[in-house]
Amino acid sequence: MLNPCLSLPAQAAALILAKVPQGFVPALAIILGSGLGPLADVIEPLAIIPYGDIPGFHVSTVYGHSGRLIVGVWQGVNVVCLQGRAHFYEGASAVALQVMIRTLRHLGCEQVVITNASGSLRAEVGPGDLMVITDHINFQGINPLVGPNDDTVGSRFVPMDNAYDRDLRTRFLQLASDQGQNLATGVYLGVLGPTFETPAEIRAFRTLGADAVGMSTVAEVILARHAGLKVLGVAIITNLAAGMDEQSLSHEETLSQAKDSAGKLIHLLGLYVASFTA
Ligand code: HPA
């Protein structure tokens, strides 16, 4: 029975924890970007819960973004995986995003790995490459913390200088380098969408210092930092950004490229997660 006196994230966490063995605490959460669905299949599941069953969770309307939460064990480590996210371009509210991220904190996570599919603004970083996110530019025209602050979650004014945690990033880059992969790093610029950018916008974003562009991540990172969660962000580059080649962009193309590259990221994330037991 849900307790309506609790906040939505507390209700959501209570519902989730009721489905797993007592004492289960996830070491980390992973938010899966487009095409990364297969990662959910390598987790030994303890519970798989459709978003529609979780109080306050947003049910995605976007093809390729199924909505379910997987709680389980991967590489001997307790994890929670969000397969599907809420995007502002769908009309999802800031509250919907807040509930998803704050639920992770209620579950006991201390860090969240945020993955996404992005367009690259750098010609030498192309489709199939991974980019470890070092920082972001919020170009979504919205901040998910606008409104009264919930002091029980975090402080009113949130520092964003180490939003993408230096230590986690170094650990991930080192693991990749040990595998002979020198991953790109760069600044992610989040747009609202749902349109892809114009070539003029991409030229402007490059001048602003962006290396990759996408329609997610920024709000989740802001909410995670507000709630005291550390963040590792990794983008799968699915295309060169608008105007950089002859191709016209489509969701189907980006989804298909993300699926093709998912194996590479799943492999590295597996090593990353395993390093929590070392
Ligand atoms: N722009 C915005 N979002 C994206 C892109 C892009 O080029 N590629 C994948 N998601």
Side-chain angles (χ1 to χ4, degrees):
M1 219 8 219
L2 293 175
N3 177 351
C5 297
L6 295 176
S7 66
L8 279 173
Q11 288 183 45
L15 180 138
I16 295 160
L17 289 176
K19 294 184 187 290
V20 296
Q22 227 180 358
F24 178 94
V25 181
L28 77 166
I30 307 171
I31 300 181
L32 301 184
S34 320
L36 270 183
L39 194 153
D41 302 332
V42 296
I43 294 172
E44 298 155 46
L46 294 167
I48 298 177
I49 313 169
Y51 286 172
D53 293 352
I54 311 176
F57 266 52
H58 171 84
V59 178
S60 177
T61 59
V62 190
Y63 170 72
H65 293 263
S66 65
R68 50 186 204 153
L69 180 141
I70 298 112
V71 195
V73 183
W74 190 27
Q75 310 283 354
V77 175
N78 291 345
V79 297
V80 181
C81 188
L82 293 182
Q83 189 180 15
R85 54 178 15 135
H87 301 92
F88 284 132
Y89 65 71
E90 294 172 79
S93 65
V95 171
L97 275 99
Q98 288 167 8
V99 173
M100 292 172 102
I101 299 297
R102 292 176 186 172
T103 297
L104 301 178
R105 188 69 201 180
H106 273 276
L107 290 172
C109 296
E110 290 185 355
Q111 72 161 279
V112 55
V113 178
I114 300 185
T115 66
N116 66 42
S118 299
S120 170
L121 277 73
R122 296 219 313 257
E124 74 280 14
V125 183
D129 289 338
L130 301 179
M131 185 184 284
V132 176
I133 304 175
T134 54
D135 205 347
H136 77 215
I137 298 172
N138 183 0
F139 221 79
Q140 296 202 301
I142 184 167
N143 188 306
L145 293 174
V146 168
N149 186 55
D150 185 340
D151 296 328
T152 64
V153 179
S155 61
R156 170 78 288 185
F157 300 104
V158 184
M160 292 293 288
D161 51 290
N162 191 28
Y164 298 81
D165 192 87
R166 240 171 258 112
D167 295 340
L168 301 187
R169 206 159 80 213
T170 305
R171 184 166 171 171
F172 189 79
L173 286 166
Q174 184 60 51
L175 285 168
S177 150
D178 293 346
Q179 300 292 305
Q181 295 185 45
N182 288 316
L183 302 185
T185 58
V187 173
Y188 175 88
L189 184 143
V191 291
L192 183 59
T195 47
F196 287 108
E197 302 67 43
T198 63
E201 286 167 340
I202 292 301
R203 285 193 299 275
F205 294 163
R206 191 176 296 114
T207 308
L208 289 176
D211 299 295
V213 63
M215 303 174 194
S216 66
T217 302
V218 161
E220 291 155 354
V221 173
I222 291 171
L223 289 164
R225 295 307 297 137
H226 179 245
L229 288 158
K230 290 183 177 177
V231 175
L232 171 71
V234 187
I236 294 183
I237 300 299
T238 54
N239 56 280
L240 290 173
M244 290 176 67
D245 60 13
E246 300 306 309
Q247 295 219 343
S248 195
L249 301 179
S250 74
H251 179 61
E252 289 68 28
E253 268 301 312
T254 57
L255 191 58
S256 143
Q257 180 61 55
K259 282 183 179 155
D260 287 351
S261 316
K264 191 154 114 181
L265 179 51
I266 292 171
H267 175 65
L268 291 178
L269 284 177
L271 296 172
Y272 178 76
V273 170
S275 74
F276 281 80
T277 51

